[in-house]
Amino acid sequence: MDDNLWKTVLGEIETEVSRANFLTLFKKTKLISLDEDTATIAAPSTMIIDLLKKRFQEIIKKTLEKHTKKPTNIIFVPGSFYNETEKPLVNTPLFKYAEEKKPIGHLPRVRKDFTFENFAVSSSNQLAYVSAKAVSEKLGVAYNPLFIYGPVGVGKTHLMQAVANEVFTKDPDKKILYTTSEEFTNEVVEAIRENDTSRMKRKFRNLDVLIIDDIQFVAGKERVQEELFHTFNILIDKKSQIVLSSDRPPSEIKKLEKRLSSRFAGGLTVDVDNPDFELRCAILLIKAQRLGIELSMEAAKKIAEKTQDTRSLEGSLLRVITEGNARQESLTEDFVSSIIGRGEEEPRPVHADDLIKIICEYYNTKPTLLKGPKREASIVRARQITMFILKKDLGLSFAEIGNLLGGRDHTTIMHGVLKIEALLDGSIFSDEISRVRGIVRGKLVD
């Protein structure tokens, strides 16, 4: 009786919550017992229990009472339940086991493992996830364009490439292109240089799906924006799907033509926030599973507590795995704590703006001057050292650095980096450059 009742309750709850929430939070729950006034419900982990209590206890209570016809208290207990013939759900609230789809092979620049099944979902990215999924199922109809924005390392590229993989899996004959704004810019420049814009137009205007990452970098490039505007209109008229990403919403992209900003905002604009604690845990568990490593929930929590930046999670996990292999130790909670604890004095993940402020303090100048057009020797040197450190220590692309430093061309950034590299080789400035890098690292320690 309890099983049938719980199936009925779950069936009704499924219509009231999102599919992502139902699959990750409700599907592996079980009604253990139903006494006079108390229902005991088992869930696979304490984290799922916390989320159910915090967000869905009232829905569960209301739906149960509808069938029991009496007030019912809810008690949650940990426990995992599945058929022996069924693949088990990994012990995390934010992703589910899924049979691997047929291989995804030849989409250029698209990672095979960037799928919806491998994307961890929580409140910080749920709307973007659901929107991208809807787009992949109804091309050119659901939301067109879909504009995803958020800070670096929150999963924008993963979601965009998941759209490409999903569409290709269902219909390999679809014309799908994933590119970056820098690559699109290069295509336009090359077409103009060779006086052959027709080839470029054929490439971009005959697509079923066009996905452009980091669209903010077309800002200030008039001819590129013009080509993008016409391409955009043609694809929209053909009901082709467009997906764009940026580090900010369309209205906040400086030097972006109003007509483009209006087109970008004409579909659905969704943001992806920095990951919460639960999402960081889920990401670690997914990565460990993919690497064939056994990582407990408690060990994942320890790493997630110490690692706030999404892109640093994999580095922290690999460090723990490497240490474990070297010592032939299991990745227990205590072992992980001992390894992660040693990293507390390592430089924290840093935003480029922080680095620019530190260098400006050292050279007694202002960020506006550093980013501006002035060519005074002291400002030029500070500017080029900033270029060098952004490239070498933060790993930014020339285009990204150019955008940060007042919209400078990538060739200017390349020249600045090479100039500082030359000064490092025995120059009287080598000590100064090393000292600046040391100060930057020292000030970026937690």
Side-chain angles (χ1 to χ4, degrees):
M1 175 202 172
D2 288 351
D3 284 346
N4 291 333
L5 172 60
W6 192 239
K7 285 179 183 177
T8 302
V9 170
L10 287 181
E12 293 184 14
I13 289 175
E14 187 173 7
T15 66
E16 294 190 45
V17 302
S18 71
R19 180 165 176 76
N21 275 330
F22 182 78
L23 291 174
T24 57
L25 298 178
F26 288 94
K27 191 171 183 181
K28 292 298 177 180
T29 59
K30 182 179 177 67
L31 181 61
I32 298 297
S33 65
L34 182 62
D35 298 328
E36 284 299 316
D37 61 351
T38 303
T40 303
I41 299 168
S45 73
T46 55
M47 195 175 294
I48 286 184
I49 290 172
D50 290 342
L51 289 169
L52 287 172
K53 284 181 178 178
K54 187 185 300 181
R55 298 170 60 186
F56 298 106
Q57 181 151 332
E58 285 306 311
I59 293 177
I60 297 171
K61 180 178 171 63
K62 178 193 72 175
T63 311
L64 260 176
E65 289 177 348
K66 175 182 173 183
H67 294 279
T68 60
K69 308 296 185 185
K70 58 186 178 183
T72 305
N73 297 318
I74 307 293
I75 296 177
F76 292 99
V77 295
S80 184
F81 299 89
Y82 55 87
N83 297 328
E84 289 301 322
T85 57
E86 184 181 310
K87 292 286 186 180
L89 179 74
V90 177
N91 189 28
T92 173
L94 303 174
F95 67 99
K96 62 184 177 60
Y97 177 88
E99 292 293 334
E100 186 175 350
K101 294 186 176 182
K102 65 182 180 179
I104 300 167
H106 65 264
L107 284 176
R109 301 287 318 284
V110 176
R111 283 180 52 169
K112 180 179 176 180
D113 59 323
F114 275 10
T115 63
F116 288 116
E117 288 79 10
N118 287 339
F119 188 81
V121 183
S122 80
S123 58
S124 64
N125 59 21
Q126 185 177 8
L127 179 58
Y129 168 83
V130 171
S131 304
K133 199 83 167 65
V135 159
S136 70
E137 293 167 357
K138 294 184 179 180
L139 294 178
V141 177
Y143 311 111
N144 204 16
L146 175 62
F147 192 102
I148 304 172
Y149 73 92
V152 171
V154 293
K156 301 188 299 294
T157 298
H158 187 141
L159 274 179
M160 297 172 79
Q161 294 194 9
V163 172
N165 280 328
E166 187 78 4
V167 173
F168 177 75
T169 301
K170 292 176 180 176
D171 187 354
D173 294 327
K174 291 286 187 187
K175 296 177 182 177
I176 306 162
L177 177 64
Y178 167 84
T179 188
T180 65
S181 64
E182 185 175 7
E183 289 163 347
F184 182 83
T185 298
N186 292 341
E187 291 272 0
V188 174
V189 172
E190 190 69 14
I192 294 171
R193 187 177 68 82
E194 295 182 354
N195 196 25
D196 184 16
T197 57
S198 59
R199 178 190 58 78
M200 180 201 67
K201 290 175 181 177
R202 286 194 302 271
K203 176 177 180 178
F204 288 101
R205 299 182 184 183
N206 293 314
L207 297 168
D208 296 301
V209 183
L210 173 61
I211 302 172
I212 305 181
D213 217 341
D214 290 325
I215 197 67
Q216 71 271 14
F217 292 127
V218 303
K221 301 177 175 71
E222 293 182 8
R223 185 61 188 273
V224 174
Q225 292 189 55
E226 181 182 350
E227 289 296 335
L228 180 59
F229 176 77
H230 294 305
T231 297
F232 192 103
N233 287 340
I234 289 170
L235 291 178
I236 292 291
D237 289 343
K238 290 171 55 180
K239 305 295 184 186
S240 297
Q241 181 67 50
I242 298 174
V243 184
L244 307 169
S245 82
S246 172
D247 62 354
R248 68 205 78 173
S251 60
E252 294 181 13
I253 302 177
K254 295 179 181 178
K255 298 184 181 179
L256 182 67
E257 293 179 7
K258 287 186 178 180
R259 59 178 182 171
L260 263 184
S261 179
S262 175
R263 293 293 191 280
F264 291 171
L268 177 66
T269 300
V270 293
D271 69 313
V272 184
D273 206 350
N274 284 310
D276 54 24
F277 175 72
E278 290 84 358
L279 181 54
R280 297 199 301 275
C281 288
I283 292 170
L284 287 164
L285 290 164
I286 289 174
K287 292 183 181 297
Q289 182 191 39
R290 199 177 299 155
L291 293 168
I293 300 297
E294 185 176 342
L295 185 71
S296 71
M297 176 64 74
E298 294 307 314
K301 286 180 180 179
K302 288 296 179 184
I303 300 175
E305 284 171 0
K306 296 292 184 181
T307 313
Q308 302 296 318
D309 180 75
T310 310
R311 288 189 174 174
S312 299
L313 286 172
E314 188 164 8
S316 296
L317 177 61
L318 292 175
R319 178 177 162 218
V320 168
I321 292 171
T322 302
E323 293 265 9
N325 288 338
R327 301 187 196 181
Q328 296 185 330
E329 293 266 6
S330 299
L331 304 187
T332 63
E333 180 184 356
D334 289 342
F335 177 75
V336 168
S337 295
S338 70
I339 301 301
I340 296 299
R342 293 209 315 263
E344 288 178 356
E345 295 185 356
E346 291 182 354
R348 65 175 170 84
V350 58
H351 292 292
D353 288 338
D354 297 333
L355 187 147
I356 290 171
K357 287 178 183 176
I358 293 168
I359 294 177
C360 285
E361 287 176 7
Y362 180 84
Y363 283 101
N364 194 27
T365 187
K366 298 178 181 178
T368 52
L369 292 175
L370 197 74
K371 298 176 182 181
K374 286 196 173 182
R375 300 286 302 167
E376 293 175 14
S378 60
I379 293 176
V380 169
R381 189 163 74 203
R383 187 182 294 141
Q384 290 179 339
I385 288 175
T386 303
M387 295 173 184
F388 175 80
I389 297 177
L390 286 170
K391 179 64 179 174
K392 297 301 180 181
D393 294 355
L394 263 64
L396 300 187
S397 69
F398 293 125
E400 288 172 325
I401 298 169
N403 187 63
L404 283 166
L405 297 179
R408 285 176 162 77
D409 187 79
H410 74 280
T411 56
T412 302
I413 307 302
M414 190 184 303
H415 171 77
V417 173
L418 291 174
K419 182 78 176 288
I420 298 302
E421 284 181 342
L423 292 175
L424 283 174
D425 188 18
S427 162
I428 58 173
F429 294 114
S430 61
D431 288 342
E432 177 186 340
I433 296 166
S434 297
R435 189 162 56 252
V436 174
R437 293 177 85 178
I439 290 170
V440 167
R441 289 170 183 155
K443 288 197 176 185
L444 296 178
V445 172
D446 278 330

